[in-house]
């Protein structure tokens, strides 16, 4: 099977969602490439716009979240193993579990985005609803995890012109604007 054929299959979409999630991590320290987050989000929106059922959207979101959080929090495994003395296998099991739990928030976002898409105009969905749902998912993550602010999309753009939005409404308003852009 050629790569171009693979790209139009569920397996291809799953692989692309994983890669796009991993790409988003490049927007954060130490890489500081904010455009990577924007490209990642655009790619994910392309995948979600093709999803025909909310369950498939939830699956793509879970895989995207695993790529994003799996790569974004892998330093915890190194820290626990090397500096904490925790057994290697147990360390990575805990990191994977945490990545799965955090990815569930992205899965919720994706499921809701796919669910409401048929009810709206495409531009309204992409410009207002998707940023609102992503911001809601980050807000839920921060509230449920008691201020767990790791890998909020706002932090990927602190060195850009969009940072002035943080003064108006904090991280969540900033995240909303990043998603709108």
């Amino acid at each position: 099977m050629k790569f171009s054929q693979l790209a139009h299959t569920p397996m291809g979409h799953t692989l692309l969602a994983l890669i796009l999630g991993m790409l988003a991590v490049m927007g954060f320290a130490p890489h500081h490439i904010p455009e990577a987050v924007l490209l990642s989000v655009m790619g994910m929106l392309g995948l979600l716009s093709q999803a025909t059922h909310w369950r498939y959207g939830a699956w793509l979101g879970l895989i995207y979240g695993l790529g994003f959080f799996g790569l974004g929090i892998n330093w915890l495994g190194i820290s626990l193993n090397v500096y904490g003395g925790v057994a290697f296998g147990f360390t990575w099991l805990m990191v994977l579990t945490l990545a799965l739990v955090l990815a569930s928030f992205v899965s919720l976002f994706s499921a809701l985005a796919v669910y409401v898409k048929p009810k709206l105009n495409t531009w309204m969905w992409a410009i207002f609803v998707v940023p609102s749902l992503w911001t809601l998912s980050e807000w839920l993550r921060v509230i449920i995890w008691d201020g767990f602010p790791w890998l909020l999309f706002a932090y990927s753009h602190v060195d850009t012109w969009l940072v002035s939005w943080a003064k108006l409404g904090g991280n969540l308003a900033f995240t909303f604007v990043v998603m709108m852009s």
Side-chain angles (χ1 to χ4, degrees):
M1 177 181 289
K2 293 181 181 177
F3 180 74
S4 62
Q5 293 170 329
L6 178 66
H8 299 292
T9 64
M11 178 61 92
H13 288 179
T14 301
L15 181 61
L16 184 57
L18 180 69
I19 292 168
L20 287 170
M22 294 169 74
L23 174 66
V25 175
M26 299 303 288
F28 297 89
H31 310 291
H32 301 289
I33 306 170
E35 296 82 10
V37 170
L38 299 178
L39 288 173
S40 172
V41 168
M42 287 189 299
M44 188 60 181
L45 289 182
L47 288 176
L48 292 178
S49 69
Q50 295 175 15
T52 57
H53 198 276
W54 67 267
R55 286 186 192 128
Y56 188 56
W59 169 253
L60 291 175
L62 183 69
I63 298 302
Y64 179 92
L66 278 175
F68 182 56
F69 290 109
L71 186 59
I73 65 169
N74 72 36
W75 62 271
L76 284 173
I78 296 165
S79 179
L80 288 170
N81 182 257
V82 174
Y83 301 109
V86 179
F88 181 82
F90 184 71
T91 295
W92 292 106
L93 179 65
M94 292 290 87
V95 170
L96 178 62
T97 302
L98 179 59
L100 271 169
V101 169
L102 295 174
S104 69
F105 290 94
V106 181
S107 181
L108 174 65
F109 150 76
S110 299
L112 289 172
V114 170
Y115 181 76
V116 301
K117 186 179 182 314
K119 299 166 180 56
L120 301 167
N121 294 334
T122 303
W123 68 270
M124 185 181 289
W125 177 78
I127 294 175
F128 296 112
V129 174
V130 166
S132 298
L133 290 174
W134 184 270
T135 304
L136 176 66
S137 73
E138 284 197 351
W139 176 76
L140 284 173
R141 183 165 46 106
V142 168
I143 293 298
I144 292 172
W145 283 88
D146 197 26
F148 191 79
W150 295 353
L151 298 172
L152 296 178
F153 272 6
Y155 294 137
S156 67
H157 283 72
V158 293
D159 294 330
T160 68
W161 64 274
L162 294 172
V163 75
S164 59
W165 287 95
K167 297 173 190 170
L168 296 175
N171 284 338
L172 296 176
F174 192 12
T175 292
F176 182 80
V177 171
V178 168
M179 288 296 290
M180 278 185 70
S181 65

PDB file of all heavy atoms in Angstrom, residues 75-102:
ATOM      1  N   TRP A  75       9.439  13.621  30.318  1.00  0.00           N
ATOM      2  CA  TRP A  75      10.500  13.972  31.255  1.00  0.00           C
ATOM      3  C   TRP A  75      10.180  13.500  32.672  1.00  0.00           C
ATOM      4  O   TRP A  75      11.089  13.283  33.478  1.00  0.00           O
ATOM      5  CB  TRP A  75      10.744  15.482  31.239  1.00  0.00           C
ATOM      6  CG  TRP A  75       9.565  16.285  31.669  1.00  0.00           C
ATOM      7  CD1 TRP A  75       8.557  16.763  30.888  1.00  0.00           C
ATOM      8  CD2 TRP A  75       9.255  16.688  33.001  1.00  0.00           C
ATOM      9  NE1 TRP A  75       7.642  17.442  31.649  1.00  0.00           N
ATOM     10  CE2 TRP A  75       8.039  17.412  32.945  1.00  0.00           C
ATOM     11  CE3 TRP A  75       9.875  16.509  34.236  1.00  0.00           C
ATOM     12  CZ2 TRP A  75       7.439  17.956  34.082  1.00  0.00           C
ATOM     13  CZ3 TRP A  75       9.275  17.052  35.362  1.00  0.00           C
ATOM     14  CH2 TRP A  75       8.068  17.770  35.275  1.00  0.00           C
ATOM     15  N   LEU A  76       8.885  13.316  32.970  1.00  0.00           N
ATOM     16  CA  LEU A  76       8.516  12.807  34.291  1.00  0.00           C
ATOM     17  C   LEU A  76       9.078  11.405  34.517  1.00  0.00           C
ATOM     18  O   LEU A  76       9.516  11.076  35.618  1.00  0.00           O
ATOM     19  CB  LEU A  76       7.001  12.768  34.446  1.00  0.00           C
ATOM     20  CG  LEU A  76       6.296  14.085  34.680  1.00  0.00           C
ATOM     21  CD1 LEU A  76       4.795  13.898  34.644  1.00  0.00           C
ATOM     22  CD2 LEU A  76       6.725  14.673  36.002  1.00  0.00           C
ATOM     23  N   GLY A  77       9.036  10.586  33.469  1.00  0.00           N
ATOM     24  CA  GLY A  77       9.571   9.236  33.584  1.00  0.00           C
ATOM     25  C   GLY A  77      11.062   9.238  33.863  1.00  0.00           C
ATOM     26  O   GLY A  77      11.558   8.468  34.700  1.00  0.00           O
ATOM     27  N   ILE A  78      11.764  10.099  33.181  1.00  0.00           N
ATOM     28  CA  ILE A  78      13.212  10.207  33.401  1.00  0.00           C
ATOM     29  C   ILE A  78      13.489  10.706  34.812  1.00  0.00           C
ATOM     30  O   ILE A  78      14.334  10.171  35.528  1.00  0.00           O
ATOM     31  CB  ILE A  78      13.833  11.143  32.343  1.00  0.00           C
ATOM     32  CG1 ILE A  78      13.661  10.529  30.953  1.00  0.00           C
ATOM     33  CG2 ILE A  78      15.296  11.414  32.646  1.00  0.00           C
ATOM     34  CD1 ILE A  78      13.890  11.475  29.811  1.00  0.00           C
ATOM     35  N   SER A  79      12.738  11.710  35.227  1.00  0.00           N
ATOM     36  CA  SER A  79      12.930  12.275  36.559  1.00  0.00           C
ATOM     37  C   SER A  79      12.640  11.251  37.656  1.00  0.00           C
ATOM     38  O   SER A  79      13.410  11.111  38.608  1.00  0.00           O
ATOM     39  CB  SER A  79      12.030  13.501  36.718  1.00  0.00           C
ATOM     40  OG  SER A  79      12.168  14.051  37.990  1.00  0.00           O
ATOM     41  N   LEU A  80      11.509  10.538  37.508  1.00  0.00           N
ATOM     42  CA  LEU A  80      11.160   9.542  38.525  1.00  0.00           C
ATOM     43  C   LEU A  80      12.160   8.396  38.574  1.00  0.00           C
ATOM     44  O   LEU A  80      12.525   7.928  39.652  1.00  0.00           O
ATOM     45  CB  LEU A  80       9.762   8.989  38.255  1.00  0.00           C
ATOM     46  CG  LEU A  80       8.600   9.929  38.534  1.00  0.00           C
ATOM     47  CD1 LEU A  80       7.307   9.345  37.986  1.00  0.00           C
ATOM     48  CD2 LEU A  80       8.487  10.188  40.026  1.00  0.00           C
ATOM     49  N   ASN A  81      12.606   7.960  37.409  1.00  0.00           N
ATOM     50  CA  ASN A  81      13.518   6.828  37.357  1.00  0.00           C
ATOM     51  C   ASN A  81      14.922   7.203  37.802  1.00  0.00           C
ATOM     52  O   ASN A  81      15.504   6.540  38.661  1.00  0.00           O
ATOM     53  CB  ASN A  81      13.539   6.242  35.954  1.00  0.00           C
ATOM     54  CG  ASN A  81      14.429   5.031  35.846  1.00  0.00           C
ATOM     55  OD1 ASN A  81      15.535   5.117  35.335  1.00  0.00           O
ATOM     56  ND2 ASN A  81      13.963   3.914  36.363  1.00  0.00           N
ATOM     57  N   VAL A  82      15.467   8.254  37.227  1.00  0.00           N
ATOM     58  CA  VAL A  82      16.864   8.609  37.505  1.00  0.00           C
ATOM     59  C   VAL A  82      17.019   9.257  38.873  1.00  0.00           C
ATOM     60  O   VAL A  82      17.891   8.889  39.648  1.00  0.00           O
ATOM     61  CB  VAL A  82      17.408   9.540  36.397  1.00  0.00           C
ATOM     62  CG1 VAL A  82      18.798  10.048  36.737  1.00  0.00           C
ATOM     63  CG2 VAL A  82      17.426   8.808  35.061  1.00  0.00           C
ATOM     64  N   TYR A  83      16.172  10.240  39.173  1.00  0.00           N
ATOM     65  CA  TYR A  83      16.351  10.995  40.409  1.00  0.00           C
ATOM     66  C   TYR A  83      15.492  10.491  41.562  1.00  0.00           C
ATOM     67  O   TYR A  83      15.829  10.696  42.723  1.00  0.00           O
ATOM     68  CB  TYR A  83      16.067  12.481  40.163  1.00  0.00           C
ATOM     69  CG  TYR A  83      16.981  13.046  39.113  1.00  0.00           C
ATOM     70  CD1 TYR A  83      16.498  13.375  37.857  1.00  0.00           C
ATOM     71  CD2 TYR A  83      18.333  13.213  39.356  1.00  0.00           C
ATOM     72  CE1 TYR A  83      17.328  13.873  36.878  1.00  0.00           C
ATOM     73  CE2 TYR A  83      19.181  13.699  38.387  1.00  0.00           C
ATOM     74  CZ  TYR A  83      18.671  14.039  37.149  1.00  0.00           C
ATOM     75  OH  TYR A  83      19.506  14.519  36.181  1.00  0.00           O
ATOM     76  N   GLY A  84      14.376   9.838  41.235  1.00  0.00           N
ATOM     77  CA  GLY A  84      13.506   9.341  42.294  1.00  0.00           C
ATOM     78  C   GLY A  84      13.759   7.900  42.668  1.00  0.00           C
ATOM     79  O   GLY A  84      13.262   7.419  43.682  1.00  0.00           O
ATOM     80  N   GLY A  85      14.496   7.184  41.822  1.00  0.00           N
ATOM     81  CA  GLY A  85      14.805   5.796  42.117  1.00  0.00           C
ATOM     82  C   GLY A  85      13.643   4.840  41.923  1.00  0.00           C
ATOM     83  O   GLY A  85      13.677   3.709  42.394  1.00  0.00           O
ATOM     84  N   VAL A  86      12.607   5.275  41.228  1.00  0.00           N
ATOM     85  CA  VAL A  86      11.456   4.419  40.969  1.00  0.00           C
ATOM     86  C   VAL A  86      11.823   3.431  39.863  1.00  0.00           C
ATOM     87  O   VAL A  86      12.540   3.771  38.921  1.00  0.00           O
ATOM     88  CB  VAL A  86      10.224   5.267  40.559  1.00  0.00           C
ATOM     89  CG1 VAL A  86       9.028   4.401  40.272  1.00  0.00           C
ATOM     90  CG2 VAL A  86       9.909   6.292  41.634  1.00  0.00           C
ATOM     91  N   ALA A  87      11.349   2.212  39.959  1.00  0.00           N
ATOM     92  CA  ALA A  87      11.668   1.176  38.977  1.00  0.00           C
ATOM     93  C   ALA A  87      11.265   1.624  37.574  1.00  0.00           C
ATOM     94  O   ALA A  87      10.222   2.260  37.381  1.00  0.00           O
ATOM     95  CB  ALA A  87      10.954  -0.115  39.333  1.00  0.00           C
ATOM     96  N   PHE A  88      12.079   1.262  36.596  1.00  0.00           N
ATOM     97  CA  PHE A  88      11.901   1.705  35.213  1.00  0.00           C
ATOM     98  C   PHE A  88      10.520   1.367  34.659  1.00  0.00           C
ATOM     99  O   PHE A  88       9.828   2.225  34.132  1.00  0.00           O
ATOM    100  CB  PHE A  88      12.995   1.080  34.334  1.00  0.00           C
ATOM    101  CG  PHE A  88      12.917   1.487  32.894  1.00  0.00           C
ATOM    102  CD1 PHE A  88      13.443   2.692  32.483  1.00  0.00           C
ATOM    103  CD2 PHE A  88      12.315   0.664  31.956  1.00  0.00           C
ATOM    104  CE1 PHE A  88      13.377   3.083  31.156  1.00  0.00           C
ATOM    105  CE2 PHE A  88      12.233   1.037  30.633  1.00  0.00           C
ATOM    106  CZ  PHE A  88      12.764   2.250  30.230  1.00  0.00           C
ATOM    107  N   GLY A  89      10.116   0.128  34.773  1.00  0.00           N
ATOM    108  CA  GLY A  89       8.832  -0.294  34.224  1.00  0.00           C
ATOM    109  C   GLY A  89       7.656   0.398  34.884  1.00  0.00           C
ATOM    110  O   GLY A  89       6.715   0.839  34.218  1.00  0.00           O
ATOM    111  N   PHE A  90       7.702   0.519  36.201  1.00  0.00           N
ATOM    112  CA  PHE A  90       6.624   1.178  36.929  1.00  0.00           C
ATOM    113  C   PHE A  90       6.560   2.662  36.570  1.00  0.00           C
ATOM    114  O   PHE A  90       5.475   3.235  36.428  1.00  0.00           O
ATOM    115  CB  PHE A  90       6.811   0.998  38.431  1.00  0.00           C
ATOM    116  CG  PHE A  90       5.685   1.559  39.240  1.00  0.00           C
ATOM    117  CD1 PHE A  90       4.442   0.937  39.248  1.00  0.00           C
ATOM    118  CD2 PHE A  90       5.859   2.720  39.982  1.00  0.00           C
ATOM    119  CE1 PHE A  90       3.396   1.462  39.987  1.00  0.00           C
ATOM    120  CE2 PHE A  90       4.815   3.246  40.720  1.00  0.00           C
ATOM    121  CZ  PHE A  90       3.585   2.615  40.721  1.00  0.00           C
ATOM    122  N   THR A  91       7.715   3.273  36.430  1.00  0.00           N
ATOM    123  CA  THR A  91       7.773   4.689  36.063  1.00  0.00           C
ATOM    124  C   THR A  91       7.047   4.940  34.753  1.00  0.00           C
ATOM    125  O   THR A  91       6.203   5.827  34.658  1.00  0.00           O
ATOM    126  CB  THR A  91       9.241   5.136  35.931  1.00  0.00           C
ATOM    127  OG1 THR A  91       9.860   5.055  37.203  1.00  0.00           O
ATOM    128  CG2 THR A  91       9.344   6.541  35.403  1.00  0.00           C
ATOM    129  N   TRP A  92       7.367   4.173  33.741  1.00  0.00           N
ATOM    130  CA  TRP A  92       6.777   4.419  32.424  1.00  0.00           C
ATOM    131  C   TRP A  92       5.317   3.997  32.366  1.00  0.00           C
ATOM    132  O   TRP A  92       4.532   4.567  31.613  1.00  0.00           O
ATOM    133  CB  TRP A  92       7.621   3.772  31.327  1.00  0.00           C
ATOM    134  CG  TRP A  92       8.923   4.515  31.250  1.00  0.00           C
ATOM    135  CD1 TRP A  92      10.133   4.098  31.690  1.00  0.00           C
ATOM    136  CD2 TRP A  92       9.104   5.851  30.777  1.00  0.00           C
ATOM    137  NE1 TRP A  92      11.070   5.088  31.517  1.00  0.00           N
ATOM    138  CE2 TRP A  92      10.460   6.176  30.949  1.00  0.00           C
ATOM    139  CE3 TRP A  92       8.255   6.813  30.241  1.00  0.00           C
ATOM    140  CZ2 TRP A  92      10.991   7.416  30.588  1.00  0.00           C
ATOM    141  CZ3 TRP A  92       8.795   8.051  29.876  1.00  0.00           C
ATOM    142  CH2 TRP A  92      10.134   8.328  30.061  1.00  0.00           C
ATOM    143  N   LEU A  93       4.921   3.044  33.198  1.00  0.00           N
ATOM    144  CA  LEU A  93       3.507   2.703  33.306  1.00  0.00           C
ATOM    145  C   LEU A  93       2.721   3.884  33.883  1.00  0.00           C
ATOM    146  O   LEU A  93       1.634   4.216  33.419  1.00  0.00           O
ATOM    147  CB  LEU A  93       3.329   1.456  34.173  1.00  0.00           C
ATOM    148  CG  LEU A  93       1.896   0.989  34.393  1.00  0.00           C
ATOM    149  CD1 LEU A  93       1.276   0.539  33.062  1.00  0.00           C
ATOM    150  CD2 LEU A  93       1.852  -0.134  35.409  1.00  0.00           C
ATOM    151  N   MET A  94       3.283   4.532  34.888  1.00  0.00           N
ATOM    152  CA  MET A  94       2.634   5.699  35.496  1.00  0.00           C
ATOM    153  C   MET A  94       2.579   6.875  34.523  1.00  0.00           C
ATOM    154  O   MET A  94       1.570   7.581  34.446  1.00  0.00           O
ATOM    155  CB  MET A  94       3.360   6.120  36.780  1.00  0.00           C
ATOM    156  CG  MET A  94       3.238   5.125  37.907  1.00  0.00           C
ATOM    157  SD  MET A  94       1.579   5.012  38.614  1.00  0.00           S
ATOM    158  CE  MET A  94       0.767   3.821  37.612  1.00  0.00           C
ATOM    159  N   VAL A  95       3.643   7.092  33.779  1.00  0.00           N
ATOM    160  CA  VAL A  95       3.659   8.186  32.804  1.00  0.00           C
ATOM    161  C   VAL A  95       2.639   7.920  31.702  1.00  0.00           C
ATOM    162  O   VAL A  95       1.899   8.827  31.300  1.00  0.00           O
ATOM    163  CB  VAL A  95       5.077   8.388  32.214  1.00  0.00           C
ATOM    164  CG1 VAL A  95       5.064   9.356  31.037  1.00  0.00           C
ATOM    165  CG2 VAL A  95       6.018   8.882  33.297  1.00  0.00           C
ATOM    166  N   LEU A  96       2.554   6.690  31.241  1.00  0.00           N
ATOM    167  CA  LEU A  96       1.568   6.341  30.223  1.00  0.00           C
ATOM    168  C   LEU A  96       0.146   6.504  30.754  1.00  0.00           C
ATOM    169  O   LEU A  96      -0.731   7.010  30.055  1.00  0.00           O
ATOM    170  CB  LEU A  96       1.781   4.903  29.722  1.00  0.00           C
ATOM    171  CG  LEU A  96       0.785   4.400  28.683  1.00  0.00           C
ATOM    172  CD1 LEU A  96       0.849   5.251  27.414  1.00  0.00           C
ATOM    173  CD2 LEU A  96       1.040   2.953  28.367  1.00  0.00           C
ATOM    174  N   THR A  97      -0.075   6.117  31.998  1.00  0.00           N
ATOM    175  CA  THR A  97      -1.398   6.282  32.611  1.00  0.00           C
ATOM    176  C   THR A  97      -1.765   7.756  32.707  1.00  0.00           C
ATOM    177  O   THR A  97      -2.887   8.148  32.373  1.00  0.00           O
ATOM    178  CB  THR A  97      -1.430   5.627  34.001  1.00  0.00           C
ATOM    179  OG1 THR A  97      -1.092   4.248  33.872  1.00  0.00           O
ATOM    180  CG2 THR A  97      -2.786   5.769  34.649  1.00  0.00           C
ATOM    181  N   LEU A  98      -0.831   8.581  33.139  1.00  0.00           N
ATOM    182  CA  LEU A  98      -1.085  10.013  33.221  1.00  0.00           C
ATOM    183  C   LEU A  98      -1.357  10.595  31.832  1.00  0.00           C
ATOM    184  O   LEU A  98      -2.275  11.397  31.661  1.00  0.00           O
ATOM    185  CB  LEU A  98       0.090  10.741  33.879  1.00  0.00           C
ATOM    186  CG  LEU A  98      -0.046  12.264  33.998  1.00  0.00           C
ATOM    187  CD1 LEU A  98      -1.274  12.647  34.810  1.00  0.00           C
ATOM    188  CD2 LEU A  98       1.219  12.856  34.605  1.00  0.00           C
ATOM    189  N   ALA A  99      -0.588  10.170  30.842  1.00  0.00           N
ATOM    190  CA  ALA A  99      -0.809  10.646  29.467  1.00  0.00           C
ATOM    191  C   ALA A  99      -2.195  10.239  28.968  1.00  0.00           C
ATOM    192  O   ALA A  99      -2.878  11.029  28.306  1.00  0.00           O
ATOM    193  CB  ALA A  99       0.280  10.114  28.535  1.00  0.00           C
ATOM    194  N   LEU A 100      -2.628   9.030  29.297  1.00  0.00           N
ATOM    195  CA  LEU A 100      -3.972   8.584  28.906  1.00  0.00           C
ATOM    196  C   LEU A 100      -5.067   9.413  29.576  1.00  0.00           C
ATOM    197  O   LEU A 100      -6.061   9.780  28.934  1.00  0.00           O
ATOM    198  CB  LEU A 100      -4.165   7.112  29.259  1.00  0.00           C
ATOM    199  CG  LEU A 100      -3.762   6.101  28.211  1.00  0.00           C
ATOM    200  CD1 LEU A 100      -3.752   4.692  28.789  1.00  0.00           C
ATOM    201  CD2 LEU A 100      -4.693   6.175  27.025  1.00  0.00           C
ATOM    202  N   VAL A 101      -4.885   9.695  30.846  1.00  0.00           N
ATOM    203  CA  VAL A 101      -5.877  10.498  31.561  1.00  0.00           C
ATOM    204  C   VAL A 101      -5.945  11.905  30.964  1.00  0.00           C
ATOM    205  O   VAL A 101      -7.033  12.442  30.714  1.00  0.00           O
ATOM    206  CB  VAL A 101      -5.556  10.557  33.075  1.00  0.00           C
ATOM    207  CG1 VAL A 101      -6.398  11.594  33.780  1.00  0.00           C
ATOM    208  CG2 VAL A 101      -5.764   9.189  33.696  1.00  0.00           C
ATOM    209  N   LEU A 102      -4.801  12.502  30.702  1.00  0.00           N
ATOM    210  CA  LEU A 102      -4.785  13.842  30.111  1.00  0.00           C
ATOM    211  C   LEU A 102      -5.313  13.825  28.682  1.00  0.00           C
ATOM    212  O   LEU A 102      -5.992  14.759  28.250  1.00  0.00           O
ATOM    213  CB  LEU A 102      -3.364  14.417  30.157  1.00  0.00           C
ATOM    214  CG  LEU A 102      -2.807  14.673  31.562  1.00  0.00           C
ATOM    215  CD1 LEU A 102      -1.349  15.094  31.481  1.00  0.00           C
ATOM    216  CD2 LEU A 102      -3.637  15.698  32.300  1.00  0.00           C
TER     217      LEU A 102
END
